[in-house]
Amino acid sequence: MKTTLTQEIEKALYYYCIELGGIVVEEVTMPDDQGIVDTLACFFKPNAATEWRCYELKITKADFFSKAKLSFIGHYNYFVLTEELYEKVQEDIPREIGVLVYRPYHQAEDLPAAGTFFIAKKPVKRTLQVEESALTQRFMASLFREVQKAKRMSYGTSYFSTEQLYKELRRRLAEKDSLQADNYYQRFIEDVQLARIESLEEELRALEQDYEFLRQQRQLRKRPTEPLE
């Protein structure tokens, strides 16, 4: 189960990568037993080359020193840490791995994320540790997974078959709590609708951010070029 802080930083990292011009997806399983990348971002360069960046999110010192495989297979690879954790583990970070330190905003009511990042340590560029074609396939598969999740939220209960709905209701009936059995169906519908609303609100914030970016780019293109001296 992810903590609230983990979810907050994941969300901030998602928007951070988008602002840099990347295509980003979370929890991508790597080929060749290279583990699972917490966040993987793809950047298209002017020379038609593709740049891959891997981000491993760590919240606690125990998590940082755990034996879980680190999937640093990209051209650039980063630990994503809180400032407090970075101060504790900075001497243990390999030379070639960069560090993004999370910096929460004081007020974030009108912003898509609750914080941003500063580069505490720059990474060293490396060659890809897996075949790029295999990496691209895993990346696309993970993007498709996210599309499926979004469609479930958009369609609400109509996305699920009758058998799936009954299965979920039977599972909830087996749970022991203070609710009466007659309320389970209504509770299930409310849960689905709430998740759908949250998903649509998230999509709206993303579209607003994209619109603002395009508007600024359009204004920049309209500015007259300064004459040469």
Side-chain angles (χ1 to χ4, degrees):
M1 183 68 69
K2 294 180 180 179
T3 66
T4 300
L5 179 58
T6 298
Q7 294 174 341
E8 178 183 313
I9 296 177
E10 280 183 342
K11 184 177 180 181
L13 181 60
Y14 180 83
Y15 283 104
Y16 175 83
C17 292
I18 289 177
E19 288 175 358
L20 293 178
I23 302 173
V24 57
V25 69
E26 297 162 350
E27 297 180 356
V28 183
T29 302
M30 292 293 99
D32 304 329
D33 296 324
Q34 292 289 337
I36 300 176
V37 177
D38 287 344
T39 297
L40 179 64
C42 174
F43 295 83
F44 299 108
K45 296 301 179 180
N47 60 357
T50 303
E51 179 182 289
W52 296 92
R53 301 183 189 179
C54 297
Y55 303 88
E56 291 286 348
L57 174 58
K58 303 295 181 183
I59 298 298
T60 66
K61 192 173 181 180
D63 188 22
F64 182 87
F65 288 109
S66 73
K67 296 181 179 180
K69 190 175 184 63
L70 296 173
S71 300
F72 287 137
I73 52 84
H75 293 111
Y76 294 98
N77 303 280
Y78 296 84
F79 277 115
V80 182
L81 311 171
T82 63
E83 190 164 7
E84 180 183 3
L85 181 57
Y86 176 58
E87 292 176 355
K88 295 178 180 178
V89 303
Q90 56 183 311
E91 299 300 326
D92 298 285
I93 297 173
R95 181 186 66 86
E96 69 275 11
I97 304 301
V99 177
L100 289 182
V101 170
Y102 180 61
R103 177 173 289 169
Y105 297 129
H106 293 297
Q107 294 182 339
E109 290 82 359
D110 299 324
L111 298 173
T116 187
F117 302 88
F118 68 89
I119 301 175
K121 181 176 177 293
K122 292 184 177 180
V124 176
K125 187 173 183 180
R126 305 168 59 191
T127 57
L128 285 178
Q129 303 300 298
V130 297
E131 290 292 332
E132 186 164 19
S133 59
L135 179 57
T136 302
Q137 290 174 356
R138 301 302 177 94
F139 188 75
M140 292 176 64
S142 297
L143 287 175
F144 178 66
R145 177 198 67 208
E146 294 304 309
V147 170
Q148 284 186 307
K149 287 166 59 178
K151 285 187 177 294
R152 289 194 190 99
M153 296 301 101
S154 178
Y155 295 156
T157 55
S158 64
Y159 183 89
F160 301 92
S161 67
T162 302
E163 179 57 32
Q164 287 176 309
L165 291 174
Y166 278 129
K167 183 178 180 180
E168 176 62 18
L169 289 172
R170 285 195 297 269
R171 184 187 68 79
R172 296 194 182 205
L173 283 170
E175 296 177 351
K176 294 181 179 180
D177 60 20
S178 60
L179 291 177
Q180 297 296 320
D182 292 342
N183 293 333
Y184 274 92
Y185 177 76
Q186 184 61 33
R187 177 185 174 188
F188 175 71
I189 296 299
E190 290 173 354
D191 287 351
V192 171
Q193 295 302 327
L194 178 60
R196 180 183 180 186
I197 291 171
E198 291 176 348
S199 176
L200 291 174
E201 289 176 343
E202 181 76 12
E203 182 179 355
L204 177 60
R205 286 193 292 268
L207 289 172
E208 289 174 342
Q209 186 181 37
D210 291 344
Y211 172 78
E212 179 62 22
F213 173 76
L214 292 173
R215 187 185 66 80
Q216 293 176 0
Q217 293 299 308
R218 185 177 181 183
Q219 289 179 343
L220 288 174
R221 288 196 294 270
K222 286 184 177 180
R223 289 180 182 176
T225 304
E226 296 183 0
L228 297 174
E229 296 182 357

